[in-house]
Structures are given as C-alpha cells and as structure tokens.
Amino acid sequence: MATVVTDSADTQEGPRAEGAPSPTLAERYRAVRAHSERLCETLETEDYVVSSMPDVSPTKWHLAHTSWFFETFVLAPNDPFYKPLDPKYAFLFNSYYVQAGERHCRAQRGLVTRPTVQEVFAYRRYVDDHMLSLLDRLEHTDVVTLGLHHEQQHQELMLTDIKHVFWMNPMRPAYLKNSGHGISDMGNGSSPDSPVPPISHLPSPMSAVPEGVYQIGHTDPSFAFDNETPAHRVFIEPFSIARDLVSNREYLAFVDDHGYHRPELWLAAGWALVREQKREAPLYWERTPDGWTEFTLEGTRPLDLDAPVCHVSYFEADAFARWAGKRLPTEAEWEVAARTVPDLARLYGDRWQWTQSAYVAYPGYKPAAGAIGEYNGKWMSDQWVLRGSSLATPPGHSRVTYRNFFPSDTRWQYSGIRLASS
C-alpha cells in the first residue's frame, strides 16, 4: 500500500525563480487589479452591461463587485475615516453575502445602466487609492489576500461571461482581436499543426495508481481557500486515470454514435434536460453544411478535433464516460494522481475537469466567522467538484488542492473531461 503525507506547490506556472524577490502585498494588489482591467481592453462600452442569462453577470458588475469586496471587508473595518463613494453601491454590488446586507437581484444585474462604465472605473480608482494607503499600516492582511484570489476568480468569470454574451449576439463578435492576451480556446496543449491521432472509441492511455492511504487537502503556509482544508487521510482502491483530457475528436465519436439519443447513458435529470432542450452537442458547437463549428474567444471557427472538449456539463461528462466504458475520477483520486503520476498531461491551464465527487465539507471543516464564512461553506450542496484549472484561470491561481464547484448542468465554464477506471 502507498502512503502520501506531503503537500505540493503544484501550480500551472511552476515555482518562482531561485533568488527572485517575492512581490510586496501592494505590488500584488496593483498587479491583480490591473489584470482585471486589461481583460476589458477589447470591449466596447455596450459590452460591459449585458447579462445573457442568470448565471452571467455583466463585466461592469464584476469590476464593481470586486471593488465592493475590498471596500466592505478591508476598508470599512480597518479605516475609521473611510467613506464609501456612493452608499447605494453596497446594495448593487453585494453578491450573496447575506450578513453584509441586502442585495440586488442577480438575474436583474443586466438591467442596471447606472452607474455608468466610466463611473465604475472611477469607483475602482477610489477604492484602490484608499487600499494602497491602508496597506502600509494594515496589521492583518489575510482578508486582503483572500480578496485578491476572489478577484482572480472573477477574472475567470469575466471571460466565461463575456464569451456567453457574445455567443448570444447574432453577430457573434470575437473577444480576442490580436490583443496579445495569450488566451486561446484551443488550450495550452494544442497547436494547429498537431498531428492528428487515429480515431479511437476509447480515450487516451491510462496510468495506474496503487491502492493506499493518501493525504489530500492543503497543508503548506501558502494561500488556500478554506474549503481546501483541513488536510485528511483517505483510502483509495487501485484505479487508473487517463493521461490526457478527452478531445473534441473523441467526443464527436460519442455524438455520432447517437450519444444524445441513448437514455441508457444518462442520469435521469440529465436525460430530462437533453430531451427538454433538444441538445445534440456541447455548448458553442454548431452543425453546418461544411461540418461542425465552435464559438471561441476568437469567434466562430471550425471545430478543432485535437483540442480538449469544452463546455460540457457534469451530465454530459458522466454520459460520455459511461459510453466509453469508463467513469469520472473522484476528487481524491484526481489529487492523488496529480501528486504521484508523472505523465499526466494538461492538469492545469486547459480545462477544469469534472469529478464524480459531490461538493461537501472535508472532515473537520469549519467556515470562518461572519460574512466571510459565507464564501464557500454555504454552497456545499447539490454541486460537483471540478479539479485543475482552465485557460481562463489567471496565472498563479491554480494548485493541486483547488476545489472548484458547479451544479450538474453548468456548461458555460471551461469544463472538460478526464476519465478514470477501477
């Protein structure tokens, strides 16, 4: 039996260069805040205000909400002289923190034309000026660090949300216009010149992991969200895990094999949605007379068969796995494999990977006191864990213990599939 008792610093970027100085908190604050605004460089004013479905928030709202977080949880408790730029912003830009006060209806965020985009950027400047003044004399900075990682989560949401907004626009505009962001829906592991692998009913080769008692969860002093703790031991039966993500080519074989018309492959709730919404393929795929296309951040393109499949729900991932004669890994299996198997490709930076694990608390988990405790703990029901990170995840934000989570039918996130078997 194998035992793993150490933590890991796995991120999609790798370790900091030896001897390089760590950035100060103020430098990190400036960098994260600036990145949010760089993501807006290709947008027109009209793009900032649209909500295309209840799960999608306007870009303007993301920019304001992340500022509200610092205003509410850092400035207000620590700066006795701080005065909000506009007291009404507390109502407009609170998301779900019940203990922080009343909130505007999420589904109606796209109806709020005021404050204007220009006024929201002014709000950001106002909060930044006060934050940078406060950071030099702030004694406890954990909530600032949490706020920076919170903003990075919203940076990913800004990309997934604006992509859906543009998809719903009949003109299908491109978000990326040679902007040099380095973000591509093709993912970090694909290239237009990649050799085409032979079509196979089964996905990529599998790597075996022995049974054993393993430790999972975050233990080192670096930042982690509270839901990644406490570290604890799990017993895992022997299993195998795919060395790579499922590709569009492999998923297209499932589509061509009438996968969306075979009830025996689907969980009951997933099958009901497939029939009700007449689904035939992942979100953003379209069948044309010339073949399948996919809407990407670069606009509509022919489906790249060698890119990892994307924008599939838990229901779709589970159905594909059953069709392939495999299953989804548990989150414990995923983490153990990420720590111990050297030949796994695309763990980070391409697609979030669905697991078959429900999003629940680790043994011994205790949420923080107050409104901050609502950040993760209150969502521990009716959702599934995803592991890894995606092409939309900001650099430095992923790690081996990160627990993303979404409901079963979520498709607008950059979610893909890695298979496992017992």
Side-chain angles (χ1 to χ4, degrees), residues 41-42 174-182 297-298:
E41 288 176 352
T42 66
Y175 164 77
L176 294 180
K177 307 170 186 175
N178 300 317
S179 62
H181 281 303
L297 292 173
E298 297 95 337

Side-chain angles (χ1 to χ4, degrees), residues 82-320:
Y82 180 77
K83 293 183 179 180
L85 180 63
D86 189 325
K88 294 179 182 177
Y89 289 178
F91 172 77
L92 280 178
F93 301 128
N94 183 0
S95 54
Y96 52 73
Y97 298 89
V98 177
Q99 297 174 68
E102 294 298 320
R103 298 150 313 285
H104 185 242
C105 176
R106 178 176 183 174
Q108 295 179 4
R109 290 172 186 169
L111 303 179
V112 180
T113 58
R114 306 293 176 94
T116 65
V117 172
Q118 184 177 0
E119 288 170 333
V120 165
F121 276 97
Y123 177 42
R124 287 180 67 86
R125 297 286 85 76
Y126 182 83
V127 170
D128 288 347
D129 288 345
H130 286 82
M131 280 292 301
L132 292 169
S133 176
L134 177 64
L135 289 179
D136 291 336
R137 60 183 191 274
L138 193 62
E139 293 184 8
H140 303 289
T141 60
D142 288 351
V143 71
V144 179
T145 301
L146 175 63
L148 295 178
H149 285 266
H150 166 259
E151 181 140 352
Q152 287 184 309
Q153 289 182 316
H154 279 272
Q155 289 166 356
E156 181 157 358
L157 288 169
M158 285 166 65
L159 289 173
T160 56
D161 288 2
I162 198 65
K163 180 176 180 178
H164 193 269
V165 167
F166 283 178
W167 160 256
M168 295 299 291
N169 185 328
M171 294 187 68
R172 298 284 166 82
Y175 164 77
L176 294 180
K177 307 170 186 175
N178 300 317
S179 62
H181 281 303
I183 301 169
S184 169
D185 277 12
M186 188 172 293
N188 296 337
S190 299
S191 163
D193 300 319
S194 296
V196 178
I199 295 177
S200 171
H201 178 70
L202 294 179
S204 68
M206 312 286 282
S207 291
V209 180
E211 69 175 9
V213 176
Y214 297 87
Q215 180 170 285
I216 66 169
H218 192 82
T219 61
D220 71 32
S222 63
F223 173 84
F225 290 112
D226 64 358
N227 65 356
E228 300 171 50
T229 64
H232 58 287
R233 292 175 298 172
V234 294
F235 175 77
I236 290 180
E237 299 285 355
F239 72 99
S240 295
I241 191 165
R243 297 177 194 169
D244 207 347
L245 304 180
V246 170
S247 69
N248 285 330
R249 179 186 303 280
E250 292 160 343
Y251 199 89
L252 183 57
F254 166 73
V255 173
D256 289 343
D257 196 34
H258 308 289
Y260 282 82
H261 297 268
R262 295 171 56 180
E264 71 273 17
L265 299 176
W266 294 81
L267 296 171
W271 179 247
L273 280 168
V274 165
R275 305 323 304 153
E276 176 187 342
Q277 300 184 13
K278 296 181 171 49
R279 292 180 181 173
E280 300 284 345
L283 183 65
Y284 301 131
W285 283 29
E286 286 187 307
R287 194 195 300 267
T288 74
D290 297 323
W292 286 96
T293 64
E294 182 176 19
F295 183 72
T296 74
L297 292 173
E298 297 95 337
T300 300
R301 300 170 56 172
L303 183 67
D304 178 4
L305 296 177
D306 298 314
V309 70
C310 196
H311 298 296
V312 291
S313 68
Y314 174 84
F315 291 136
E316 289 166 310
D318 178 78
F320 176 89

